[in-house]
Amino acid sequence: MENRDAELAEKILSLKKRRNAVILAHNYQLGEVQDIADFVGDSLGLSQNAAKTSAEVIIFCGVHFMAETASIICPDKTVLLPDINAGCPMANMITAEKLRDKKMELPYVPVVCYINSSAEVKAESDICCTSANAVKVVESLETREILFVPDLYLGHYISTQTNKEMILWPGFCPTHLRIRPEHLTRLRQEYPQAKVIVHPECRPEVIALADEVLSTGGMCRFAQQTETKEIVVGTEIGIIHRLKRENPGKKFIHVSEQAVCPNMKLITLEKILWSLEEMAPEVKVPEEIRLKAKAAVDRMLEIGRG
Ligand code: SF4
């Protein structure tokens, strides 16, 4: 299997060069996919990298809304998503039409949309955010009331960190919802010295038991900076690969074997190679939607990381 991966990786790297392509991978991707990427990061880091790359082709190893975000930022580049079925159930919990209806009810309330949303939903929003900068984005707005879509749990977490009144959309990440307080309680007993870090997409009862609430990029920085040798990690399992690679002297304990996002695992080395060969499937956002969505993404990029 390792030989097979090495063979595929070699083919991908040589074809990538010929195509003038860059490979961007989310922290939740399979280990072998992360290993061949030019950049591995969280949604914010991936957007920033897409914005500054000089490559003509972006192979996006993540889910559909991430490839769309790259297309929004870089309309002149070819953005490929090696498996077009890699979607995000949370992003699918809201549509532009439903958001328009809600905006009619709340005409003076600005809309902050989590980056885990379709281009059409971004186009209906005032500003975008990621879990790395959500608090900073919300605080940058002048109104007290904010309509936050689509993640109820991230929105609730932000409301505990600001004095804003958050109107929350009832969306959620099924993967993070599988992380339960009893998982943390058990691991605290088993690893009494460990620090517990969780993602803000987790339910409040889980967040209440954590030492730190961090985006995946924040988790990577925390792991490098902390003196602690044992860390319980409450997010999707893919990040453990990167944490181990970057911190060989530390032990990372994944919170639950149930916290796996099947969509993130759809991208494989075979599909990346096929995608580079065929230059497909391409993700391209129609220009009218792109321009509106770009305004929301640009406002976020100006604010940067939290
Ligand atoms: S981990 Fe959750 S939010 Fe991320 S892509 Fe999977 S379902 Fe969507």
Side-chain angles (χ1 to χ4, degrees), residues 26 28 62-63 65-66 87-91 114 116 151 172-176 199 201 235-236 260-264:
H26 190 268
Y28 296 159
V63 292
F65 75 81
M66 297 178 177
C88 168
M90 181 207 285
Y114 190 22
N116 297 31
D151 187 3
F172 58 88
C173 165
T175 300
H176 283 87
H199 194 276
E201 284 173 21
T235 192
E236 209 276 342
V260 178
C261 174
N263 291 283
M264 283 284 180

Side-chain angles (χ1 to χ4, degrees), residues 94-202:
I94 184 167
T95 61
E97 199 186 345
K98 285 186 188 156
L99 178 54
R100 276 194 293 271
D101 290 348
K102 191 73 187 169
K103 280 166 60 177
M104 301 268 270
E105 286 172 33
L106 304 162
Y108 302 109
V109 178
V111 181
V112 177
C113 77
Y114 190 22
I115 199 154
N116 297 31
S117 54
S118 68
E120 285 90 343
V121 167
K122 288 185 178 77
E124 290 293 332
S125 303
D126 294 284
I127 186 165
C128 220
C129 75
T130 71
S131 53
N133 61 14
V135 171
K136 205 169 164 186
V137 165
V138 165
E139 277 181 343
S140 76
L141 299 169
E142 279 170 12
T143 58
R144 184 160 156 71
E145 277 187 317
I146 309 274
L147 173 58
F148 188 82
V149 300
D151 187 3
L152 168 71
Y153 293 95
L154 175 62
H156 175 268
Y157 173 69
I158 300 165
S159 74
T160 66
Q161 304 298 302
T162 66
N163 60 1
K164 300 284 187 187
E165 200 173 304
M166 308 284 288
I167 301 159
L168 304 175
W169 194 269
F172 58 88
C173 165
T175 300
H176 283 87
L177 236 59
R178 282 185 218 114
I179 301 174
R180 304 198 54 88
E182 47 274 28
H183 295 137
L184 296 191
T185 315
R186 184 174 48 78
L187 290 170
R188 280 240 189 247
Q189 280 166 0
E190 217 174 305
Y191 300 94
Q193 307 298 328
K195 284 272 184 214
V196 176
I197 58 177
V198 303
H199 194 276
E201 284 173 21
C202 291

Side-chain angles (χ1 to χ4, degrees), residues 193-195 226-231 249-253:
Q193 307 298 328
K195 284 272 184 214
T226 182
E227 304 269 293
T228 316
K229 292 279 180 262
E230 291 180 334
I231 303 172
K250 292 180 182 168
K251 185 178 170 78
F252 297 95
I253 305 116

